Amino acid sequence: MNSRRIGSTEVSAIGLGGMPMSIEGRPDEERAIRTVHAALDAGVTLIDTADAYHLHADEVGHNESLIARALASYGGDTSGVLVATKGGHLRPGDGSWSVNSSPDYLRSACEASLKRLGVEAIGLYQHHRPDPKVPYADAIGAVRDLVDAGKVRMAGISNANPEQIRQAREILGDRLVSVQNQYSPAFRSSEPELALCEELGLAFLPWSPLGGISRAGELGSRFAPFAEVAAARGVSPQQVCLAWLLARSPQVIPIPGSSRPETIRDSVAATELQLDPDELAALDRA
Ligand SMILES: NC(=O)c1ccc[n+]([C@@H]2O[C@H](COP(=O)([O-])OP(=O)(O)OC[C@H]3O[C@@H](n4cnc5c(N)ncnc54)[C@H](OP(=O)(O)O)[C@@H]3O)[C@@H](O)[C@H]2O)c1
């Protein structure tokens, strides 16, 4: 498996997104564990999760606990796996999402994530989403303090615009290693953030890289060139999409969500798919 860098840590060029295993439509635990194990078998060393990936109000951290159990029950060595979690988003249990970036809340959320993941320090802790009620500098300052207290090894931000990325960089310095924003064939407006990540040497983790849980299956029918390249190569349009994202920039590390072993295996194979310039140009125009 090809690798890329998040800060000083080498990770697989494709990560596993944990969200589909814990929110609406999630599989049973046995299938979820098999999915994580299939990812590890395929060489995945980056798993993206969040305390907010759960369904009911009383099961905050469902996905973090699931990932921790899957790692603990895996037969092989998991010491090189980077688990990237997030804080600052909440699910009240009615299907909605809310935010809280108050420094007190972020501190307590991080403590709870540490316990669920069963680690002394979180490998990558990402501020999940700006909270309009809390100055961004206060939220990011809280993340900086968590790194300095040894609770977090590396810091990331998510759903941030270029101004916020620059502000976070100022506050966090080298502690800031990644930005996680939406980016897919259907959603390309994070180009300026990606360009800034290239300038600053930050990893860029596109979320919902296939268009999101409910639309990932339609990728080929919505974007014909992805289906055409896929047919010519004998692979899935989703695999073509991930190879296209990898070719966008060396900073890009897609984190496709998965709830089945077959899909994460198929996604990982994108690291071996070299698209030629004509194919990439057609996909850029799609
Ligand atoms: N920071 C944020 O605000 C934010 C927001 C959303 C998501 N995220 C993160 O980003 C990750 C990815 O986003 P996402 O899960 O929303 O959407 P996505 O990755 O665009 O789509 C996920 C769906 O794609 C399907 N899939 C995956 N690989 C496939 C393949 N090779 N062929 C066919 N289908 C495939 C999966 O189906 P099966 O379920 O059948 O396997 C899964 O349900 C999330 O899991 C989460 O970790 C972050």
Side-chain angles (χ1 to χ4, degrees):
M1 162 88 90
N2 300 324
S3 63
R4 296 212 164 172
R5 281 193 170 275
I6 299 185
S8 57
T9 302
E10 210 170 288
V11 296
S12 53
I14 294 280
L16 169 67
M19 192 167 79
M21 292 181 280
S22 289
I23 69 163
E24 288 81 349
R26 67 192 182 190
D28 60 28
E29 166 115 358
E30 187 269 331
R31 191 176 105 196
I33 298 277
R34 275 198 293 118
T35 303
V36 179
H37 288 179
L40 297 170
D41 285 346
V44 167
T45 57
L46 170 66
I47 301 180
D48 183 72
T49 180
D51 58 358
Y53 295 163
H54 63 95
L55 193 50
H56 309 296
D58 61 353
E59 53 171 20
V60 175
H62 179 279
N63 197 248
E64 291 178 325
S65 302
L66 173 75
I67 300 300
R69 283 196 294 277
L71 289 171
S73 63
Y74 186 62
D77 179 17
T78 58
S79 57
V81 176
L82 177 66
V83 177
T85 193
K86 317 183 195 75
H89 232 324
L90 295 91
R91 298 208 80 192
D94 58 1
S96 67
W97 298 76
S98 59
V99 288
N100 187 346
S101 283
S102 82
D104 276 351
Y105 172 75
L106 289 174
R107 269 190 292 276
S108 65
C110 179
E111 284 296 339
S113 290
L114 277 164
K115 285 203 186 76
R116 284 189 291 264
L117 292 172
V119 293
E120 277 173 24
I122 291 171
L124 174 61
Y125 196 61
Q126 304 160 99
H127 176 251
H128 206 148
R129 185 177 282 278
D131 176 349
K133 294 187 298 303
V134 177
Y136 198 58
D138 292 0
I140 302 305
V143 176
R144 177 200 54 212
D145 294 347
L146 289 168
V147 181
D148 291 348
K151 310 262 181 199
V152 166
R153 205 157 58 73
M154 301 187 287
I157 55 175
S158 181
N159 301 299
N161 64 31
E163 194 189 328
Q164 289 162 332
I165 296 172
R166 287 198 187 277
Q167 197 181 357
R169 169 71 160 209
E170 234 168 71
I171 294 167
L172 288 162
D174 288 347
R175 304 170 187 88
L176 178 67
V177 295
S178 64
V179 174
Q180 182 176 142
N181 274 15
Q182 187 172 12
Y183 193 96
S184 68
F187 189 98
R188 303 188 196 196
S189 55
S190 286
E191 287 288 348
E193 288 85 1
L194 172 54
L196 186 53
C197 285
E198 287 180 332
E199 181 191 322
L200 299 176
L202 303 173
F204 182 87
L205 280 49
W207 65 253
S208 291
L210 304 173
I213 296 173
S214 57
R215 305 206 78 175
E218 305 161 7
L219 196 140
S221 53
R222 290 177 72 203
F223 300 94
F226 285 84
E228 286 155 20
V229 172
R233 296 295 199 119
V235 299
S236 69
Q238 290 80 8
Q239 197 179 117
V240 170
C241 173
L242 296 167
W244 168 73
L245 286 166
L246 286 168
R248 298 283 302 118
S249 161
Q251 305 308 122
V252 169
I253 307 173
I255 45 166
S258 196
S259 69
R260 290 183 291 132
E262 305 87 278
T263 50
I264 187 59
R265 280 191 210 111
D266 186 65
S267 294
V268 164
T271 64
E272 306 296 332
L273 180 62
Q274 292 296 326
L275 298 170
D276 66 38
D278 289 346
E279 290 171 322
L280 289 170
L283 299 172
D284 285 345
R285 289 191 300 270

